Amino acid sequence: MNLRVLRIELRRSVAPWAGAAILTSALAFLYLLDAGWWSGTTAWTAQWTSLALWTRALLFYLWPLAVGLGALQGLRDHRSRMSELLTTTSRPAWHRAAALSGTTAVTLASAFALIVLVGGVQVLAHTEYNHVGWLPISLVAALFLIAGAVFGMGAGRALPSVLTPPALTMGAFVFTALMYMSLGRTPTTTAEGLTSTEPNRVSLLSPGVEEVRNVLVTLSASVHVGQTVWLLGMAATGFALLVAATPRARLIAVTPVLAGASLALLLLPSDPRRMYVVDEAAAELVCDGPVCVTRAHQDRLAGLAGPGKEALRLLRGALGDRAPVSVREDTSVLPDGATPRWSPGTVAVGFDDDIIAAADGEELIRALIAKAMVPGCTPVGWTSVGGDLYAQTVAAGWVLGDFKPLPGTLSADLRREVDAETRPVWRELKALPRAEQLARINAARAAGHSCEGDAFDALNGGTSR
């Protein structure tokens, strides 16, 4: 397809409007809604992989939109009543189909590339970790839009009715919703008896992805390969339906999409831990003495190193040989509902943790000491205010010798509640003989790191408040 044909098709088709709809609706969604893609280390403008996954997540509605617009484009010949005339021309049918689908493919790919470009410019300003591991995620996302639009064109050509575009749009949207809500999820029970769901192999036929909760998580290579096979089959069926002129040819045209789905299900991983995997390059540690962060957050090392070393010194003075010897960014990736386990020899740091994220300078030293004493046992994906925070407040105050609230985002009412619960326990603890203080502190640390028992209860001498 040369530039002259491209210009003609752009004037005659809905391709420019499809590209504009994809671009403007996606940017409006990202900029007008204050949601998870704007917060923490996984913001869509914070890291390249997060950018790719968040923009890919928009396909839950962009893909049905592309399918519907493709179907509208497929009705063009029927609306103009030119179908019989075009079949009598000497130009092969696949030439016309290639010009039509190629124009739409270029437009949709360009629109999605512009969305990624808008985020990419901001990512460059926010991170020092640049890599190309995110590209397959975005390339497959663009292929989803192209394959969906071409499939919609073929369906619109095969079923020339004004109801076809809205029906296909709604069908595609229902498909993505079911993949995310029921058909694509498998109920599981964690070792702690908590019930949750995990994505299954069928869910990977959907364009959507899981919510981005960890900057170190990416899609595996087997997912990219399986989805590419599925999308090539979908696009082949759409193109074949555009060319098909007889009912028998249309029936045969369905073969590629069925074969693509079958082969993709054989290639796609069945274990959720092989679908979403840790990016080993991003998780590689970069250290300044005993303080280490991942390569993805290497720009934060300078700000963490000083407070981290000071926190280790203070912990050593308070705990002796039982004190942790290093500060490391937490690289563990656990499923939703799982209870973490911690090593007492390491202070595990998460930059999305409310206490760490809100701290700086002297406050960061207190926050690191709090996490060293009681790391936190809230199941992954859950939020709570209670025993762990109380225990962290008291334990940090014991190490530093003064009582202050921990940094964080608590409301004034919750801060008063934490103060009322913890200040009497801190006073009682400081009034005890040194040996009894250490016994309670060691019991609290053991409970906090094993997540077995109540750390705050241990600081309070086993008396629930």
Side-chain angles (χ1 to χ4, degrees):
M1 183 174 61
N2 57 39
L3 292 178
R4 178 172 174 273
V5 173
L6 177 63
R7 287 195 298 269
I8 293 173
E9 286 294 338
L10 285 174
R11 290 198 299 267
R12 297 177 60 231
S13 71
V14 300
W17 298 105
I22 295 294
L23 177 62
T24 56
S25 63
L27 292 179
F29 203 89
L30 287 169
Y31 280 97
L32 298 182
L33 294 181
D34 185 12
W37 49 81
W38 281 114
S39 61
T41 60
T42 57
W44 79 291
T45 58
Q47 296 285 346
W48 289 106
T49 301
S50 299
L51 165 68
L53 288 172
W54 277 124
T55 51
R56 167 79 181 267
L58 296 178
L59 295 190
F60 86 91
Y61 81 92
L62 291 181
W63 184 68
L65 182 62
V67 173
L69 290 170
L72 183 63
Q73 178 63 59
L75 293 177
R76 184 179 68 180
D77 292 348
H78 176 73
R79 292 196 310 269
S80 59
R81 300 178 183 179
M82 294 176 57
S83 300
E84 292 185 6
L85 174 63
L86 291 174
T87 57
T88 63
T89 63
S90 58
R91 187 184 181 189
W94 70 267
H95 279 193
R96 295 191 301 273
L100 182 63
S101 58
T103 302
T104 303
V106 169
T107 306
L108 293 180
S110 300
F112 191 77
L114 284 174
I115 298 169
V116 174
L117 180 62
V118 169
V121 171
Q122 299 174 78
V123 171
L124 282 173
H126 290 155
T127 184
E128 296 178 3
Y129 178 59
N130 297 305
H131 61 105
V132 295
W134 60 276
L135 277 175
I137 302 173
S138 293
L139 291 175
V140 172
L143 185 57
F144 257 109
L145 291 175
I146 294 169
V150 174
F151 181 81
M153 289 180 205
R157 178 71 180 272
L159 301 171
S161 167
V162 293
L163 299 178
T164 299
L168 278 178
T169 303
M170 184 57 64
F173 184 77
V174 169
F175 173 75
T176 58
L178 289 177
M179 288 298 102
Y180 188 78
M181 296 168 55
S182 57
L183 294 181
R185 311 290 298 185
T186 301
T188 60
T189 302
T190 66
E192 295 77 16
L194 302 174
T195 301
S196 62
T197 62
E198 293 181 333
N200 58 35
R201 178 185 292 156
V202 177
S203 70
L204 297 176
L205 297 180
S206 166
V209 293
E210 296 285 286
E211 183 179 347
V212 187
R213 292 182 178 173
N214 193 311
V215 71
L216 303 179
V217 172
T218 187
L219 289 170
S220 66
S222 57
V223 171
H224 300 319
V225 173
Q227 290 181 335
T228 299
V229 170
W230 153 239
L231 294 174
L232 291 177
M234 184 190 301
T237 287
F239 190 82
L241 287 173
L242 276 175
V243 175
T246 64
R248 183 170 180 271
R250 295 188 182 102
L251 186 62
I252 295 174
V254 180
T255 303
V257 71
L258 296 178
S262 301
L263 183 56
L265 289 175
L266 293 176
L267 295 172
L268 292 170
S270 58
D271 185 351
R273 279 155 290 281
R274 292 177 53 225
M275 300 175 189
Y276 294 88
V277 298
V278 174
D279 185 339
E280 298 295 342
E284 181 183 347
L285 293 178
V286 179
C287 300
D288 181 348
V291 181
C292 301
V293 299
T294 61
R295 190 167 294 281
H297 291 139
Q298 60 191 11
D299 55 318
R300 299 194 181 218
L301 181 58
L304 183 65
K309 293 173 183 177
E310 179 63 14
L312 291 176
R313 186 188 68 80
L314 293 169
L315 288 164
R316 177 75 177 181
L319 300 174
D321 293 339
R322 291 177 176 267
V325 296
S326 64
V327 176
R328 291 176 181 265
E329 182 178 352
D330 180 26
T331 59
S332 62
V333 177
L334 301 175
D336 280 357
T339 300
R341 297 291 188 272
W342 308 102
S343 169
T346 301
V347 182
V349 175
F351 292 112
D352 280 326
D353 182 275
D354 285 344
I355 297 174
I356 300 295
D360 191 20
E362 295 295 324
E363 282 192 333
L364 183 54
I365 296 174
R366 182 177 293 270
L368 290 171
I369 291 173
K371 299 300 290 185
M373 301 296 282
V374 183
C377 293
T378 303
V380 176
W382 295 32
T383 57
S384 67
V385 177
D388 285 343
L389 181 59
Y390 297 163
Q392 289 168 343
T393 303
V394 173
W398 178 83
V399 172
L400 293 169
D402 63 346
F403 183 87
K404 289 183 180 179
L406 294 175
T409 57
L410 296 180
S411 65
D413 289 341
L414 283 175
R415 282 184 176 274
R416 284 193 292 269
E417 177 186 328
V418 172
D419 185 82
E421 290 286 341
T422 56
R423 189 178 292 273
V425 176
W426 178 76
R427 287 174 177 167
E428 178 185 335
L429 180 65
K430 294 294 288 185
L432 294 172
R434 178 68 178 178
E436 180 62 22
Q437 290 182 36
L438 281 173
R440 290 193 182 188
I441 286 292
N442 289 332
R445 288 195 73 217
H449 285 83
S450 67
C451 291
E452 296 176 0
D454 190 314
F456 186 60
D457 198 41
L459 290 172
N460 197 27
T463 304
S464 299
R465 297 181 65 87

